[in-house]
């Protein structure tokens, strides 16, 4: 699937503008001329600039590209369902991870996707358990990111 560069440019401008707008709620550091909002604003401005270049380049093209070109995989039901399942897995994690916790949510997402994509059950189980524990250790212990504990709050 390929979107016209004008659509992509407009979408990234909206994303960058939202990101910049969110930085206005960031706290400032006392005694410093800049704070945590500086880098996201610079990044957002760069995104807007590049998006405008993308839009202008598309509009100047001699041949107007169609707004949307569907890829061949869109005509294959299994691949469409794979795409939908992947989006559903991300949505499940976002909605369930606070209540369920990182470890059960991440494990469920991985085991379902691995089995759907044809990985043998034993391999899928080993990979899902291993990657869940590895990611939890890396982000929870090494990066000190507070991951949701959910139903495992009393155990962790």
């Amino acid at each position: 699937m390929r979107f016209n560069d004008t659509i992509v440019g407009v979408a990234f401008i909206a994303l960058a503008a939202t990101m910049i707008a969110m930085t206005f709620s960031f706290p400032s550091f006392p005694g410093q001329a800049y704070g945590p909002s500086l880098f996201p604003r610079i990044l957002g401005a760069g995104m807007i600039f590049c998006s405008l270049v993308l839009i202008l380049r598309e509009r100047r093209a001699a041949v107007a590209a169609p707004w949307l070109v569907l890829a061949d995989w869109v005509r294959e039901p299994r691949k469409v369902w794979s795409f939908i399942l992947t989006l559903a897995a991300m949505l499940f994690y976002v909605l369930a991870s606070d209540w369920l916790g990182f470890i059960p949510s991440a494990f469920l997402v991985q085991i379902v996707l691995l089995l759907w994509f044809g990985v043998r059950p034993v391999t899928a189980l080993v990979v899902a358990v291993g990657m869940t524990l590895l990611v939890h250790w890396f982000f929870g212990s090494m990066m000190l990111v507070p991951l949701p504990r959910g139903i495992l709050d009393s155990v962790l």
Side-chain angles (χ1 to χ4, degrees), residues 63-129:
V63 178
W67 289 104
L68 175 65
V69 176
L70 295 177
D72 292 335
W73 68 266
V74 176
R75 293 169 189 84
E76 298 178 42
R78 174 126 177 117
K79 291 182 179 179
V80 171
W81 280 109
S82 296
F83 177 74
I84 292 169
L85 183 62
T86 303
L87 292 178
M90 288 188 282
L91 183 63
F92 167 79
Y93 180 81
V94 168
L95 297 175
S97 63
D98 281 339
W99 172 77
L100 200 56
F102 172 80
I103 292 175
S105 299
F107 172 78
L108 286 172
V109 164
Q110 290 179 79
I111 197 76
V112 166
L113 289 176
L114 288 169
L115 291 173
W116 173 262
F117 287 114
V119 176
R120 290 180 296 185
V122 173
T123 304
L125 184 65
V126 169
V127 169
V129 168

Side-chain angles (χ1 to χ4, degrees), residues 5-155:
D5 286 345
T6 301
I7 293 174
V8 174
V10 169
F12 272 102
I13 288 173
L15 180 68
T18 302
M19 183 173 65
I20 291 170
M22 291 174 64
T23 65
F24 288 105
S25 66
F26 290 2
S28 59
F29 290 140
Q32 289 194 0
Y34 58 90
S37 63
L38 177 66
F39 182 69
R41 288 180 185 172
I42 292 172
L43 185 63
M47 284 174 61
I48 289 171
F49 174 76
C50 291
S51 297
L52 289 173
V53 169
L54 190 67
I55 292 169
L56 290 174
R57 188 186 68 170
E58 176 66 35
R59 296 291 98 204
R60 286 183 164 183
V63 178
W67 289 104
L68 175 65
V69 176
L70 295 177
D72 292 335
W73 68 266
V74 176
R75 293 169 189 84
E76 298 178 42
R78 174 126 177 117
K79 291 182 179 179
V80 171
W81 280 109
S82 296
F83 177 74
I84 292 169
L85 183 62
T86 303
L87 292 178
M90 288 188 282
L91 183 63
F92 167 79
Y93 180 81
V94 168
L95 297 175
S97 63
D98 281 339
W99 172 77
L100 200 56
F102 172 80
I103 292 175
S105 299
F107 172 78
L108 286 172
V109 164
Q110 290 179 79
I111 197 76
V112 166
L113 289 176
L114 288 169
L115 291 173
W116 173 262
F117 287 114
V119 176
R120 290 180 296 185
V122 173
T123 304
L125 184 65
V126 169
V127 169
V129 168
M131 287 307 299
T132 298
L133 295 176
L134 180 67
V135 169
H136 185 270
W137 168 78
F138 180 75
F139 284 100
S141 299
M142 299 301 294
M143 301 298 291
L144 301 176
V145 173
L147 297 171
R149 294 175 183 225
I151 61 174
L152 299 177
D153 191 32
S154 61
V155 178

